Amino acid sequence: MLSLSKFVPAILALTCAQFAAAAPGSLSFVRRANDLIRIPLNRDNDTGLYTVDIKFGSGEVVQTLPLVIDSGSDFTWVPGVRCTSAKCPGVDTFYDPSISSSSKDLNKKEVVEFDQGFVITDLYSDDICFAGTTGGTVELDDFVFGSACVIDGFTADPTHGRLGLAEGSLIEAISRLGASDLDSYWKRQYTRDPPFSRGPKPYRTNLRRRDNDAASELVLGIDPDFIRGKISYLPLVCEDEIPANQSIFWKTKLSTVKFNGNALVQSLDAIVSFENGINHIVAPGNYSQRIYDLIGTPKIRDNVFDCVDVHQAGNLMFNFPNLKRLTVPSTVWSRELGNGWCEALIVPSTKGESETWVLGTLVTDQFVEIFDRTNLQYGLAAPTAFDAEATITDI
């Protein structure tokens, strides 16, 4: 996949096998001068989630597995060859450590819970390489991940693992790589680890997001050609504001949530988490039911309504303490099912009394996302690729 940015000369293609061996736990990359490293993402139109192809192993034999990028988790896992769960995918997408000469069994297990399921994994380390990159090639040696032997839940995408972008060795490595990829302007702005970003390539088609198949990329740095207008930054939460077992990435404090002018949340403990591992909105407590009640009379199930009622319900608005407002219209938080019925893509949380709202790809797809680890902030900007329906503005 070629970049449509201003840097268009041919890029030297390198395979993982062409890298010299690096020290354990290290990373290496080859970057074309004056360009950003870009990692292509594949969008599943059925689930609304994005996958990246990762090559596991070194030498002539490597395994390529598609992993869902997940900004809500710090754990990377793949379906393992020992997996016996009914949800395990076909053998072609298993990770088989016996194939890789660089694979190491760490003789530990890790159980990780997600909002939509859980996995039980055996921990391994192996060399990995991002497939299909332009502007350079990236390799991480002795990367630690889980090989799943049990997969439960994940109704939207049971066949793919997860590439955790919330914290840990991967996010640190990506941030360090981005430091060498920035032009002089961005170097003046960021003296340490710079941000990385995700967004649609700038086709400038001026279409709505759902009508546009603009390819999305993970960029090590920020490409100004992707962005229309300014970036709105939201500061990340402090560690003492969330449970001890959670990461601060990529979560921010809320001041209020309003639906069709009705105040739903006015709490000092409310938080929003921006996550690419789900394709809907997760509402804590009984807020999803309160939203359903405000929409109207449900049809075939609790979250399905007459489309007229859905669109009359209007906007879901998130107000932030730094005087930013994220407005999500009904055309974004719902989808048409036919026969005049619409489904509200707002579901209840499975985590009990949590005060965290989770905004998945149906919201984040409306923007270019900026993951700024150095300054502990998350940014949203209008894309140049299409006319977004959701907006973030100053209050």
Side-chain angles (χ1 to χ4, degrees), residues 161-202:
R162 289 288 194 276
L163 186 73
L165 292 178
E167 204 173 8
S169 59
L170 181 63
I171 185 74
E172 293 172 8
I174 288 178
S175 294
R176 292 203 302 275
L177 286 172
S180 300
D181 292 330
L182 301 179
D183 61 25
S184 59
Y185 170 78
W186 291 110
K187 284 179 180 176
R188 289 197 301 271
Q189 302 298 312
Y190 299 96
T191 56
R192 295 190 296 121
D193 297 343
F196 64 97
S197 56
R198 183 190 76 90
K201 293 164 65 174

Side-chain angles (χ1 to χ4, degrees), residues 20 33 120 162 192 228 235 260 265 290 302 312 324 339 344 381:
I120 301 175
R162 289 288 194 276
R192 295 190 296 121
R228 179 186 301 167
N260 195 21
V265 176
R290 290 176 62 185
D302 287 348
Q312 284 180 346
K324 302 292 183 183
N339 299 317

Side-chain angles (χ1 to χ4, degrees), residues 138-158:
V138 180
E139 178 185 73
L140 299 173
D141 288 348
D142 291 330
F143 179 70
V144 176
F145 59 95
S147 177
C149 51
V150 175
I151 303 174
D152 190 81
F154 301 99
T155 55
D157 61 321

Side-chain angles (χ1 to χ4, degrees), residues 92 244-245 294:
D92 289 342
N245 62 340
L294 290 169

Side-chain angles (χ1 to χ4, degrees), residues 340-363:
W341 291 350
C342 284
E343 179 183 16
L345 301 175
I346 304 169
V347 302
S349 173
T350 61
K351 295 183 178 179
E353 299 303 317
S354 168
E355 287 290 329
T356 300
W357 292 72
V358 181
L359 304 186
T361 56
L362 86 167
V363 175

Side-chain angles (χ1 to χ4, degrees), residues 242-287:
I242 58 174
N245 62 340
Q246 290 188 15
S247 165
I248 65 172
F249 303 96
W250 300 94
K251 301 177 179 70
T252 188
K253 294 286 288 185
L254 268 173
S255 53
T256 60
V257 178
K258 293 185 177 181
F259 182 71
N260 195 21
N262 298 277
L264 297 177
V265 176
Q266 289 180 306
S267 170
L268 296 176
D269 297 323
I271 289 172
V272 163
S273 179
F274 295 91
E275 302 186 12
N276 292 310
I278 63 172
N279 64 341
H280 46 264
I281 295 173
V282 177
N286 65 346
Y287 290 122

Side-chain angles (χ1 to χ4, degrees), residues 68-177:
V68 173
I69 62 168
D70 189 356
S71 57
S73 173
D74 60 1
F75 187 69
T76 295
W77 63 272
V78 297
V81 71
R82 300 175 184 171
C83 188
T84 57
S85 299
K87 290 185 178 293
C88 289
V91 67
D92 289 342
T93 58
F94 283 136
Y95 173 74
D96 186 348
S98 67
I99 294 177
S100 172
S101 60
S102 53
S103 176
K104 300 181 182 68
D105 188 343
L106 302 182
N107 296 311
K108 295 180 181 178
K109 285 193 178 291
E110 187 82 19
V111 180
V112 181
E113 291 188 42
F114 300 84
D115 195 74
Q116 67 273 44
F118 70 90
V119 293
I120 301 175
T121 69
D122 299 306
L123 291 185
Y124 284 86
S125 69
D126 205 343
D127 299 342
I128 69 170
C129 181
F130 288 84
T133 58
T134 59
T137 308
V138 180
E139 178 185 73
L140 299 173
D141 288 348
D142 291 330
F143 179 70
V144 176
F145 59 95
S147 177
C149 51
V150 175
I151 303 174
D152 190 81
F154 301 99
T155 55
D157 61 321
T159 63
H160 297 310
R162 289 288 194 276
L163 186 73
L165 292 178
E167 204 173 8
S169 59
L170 181 63
I171 185 74
E172 293 172 8
I174 288 178
S175 294
R176 292 203 302 275
L177 286 172

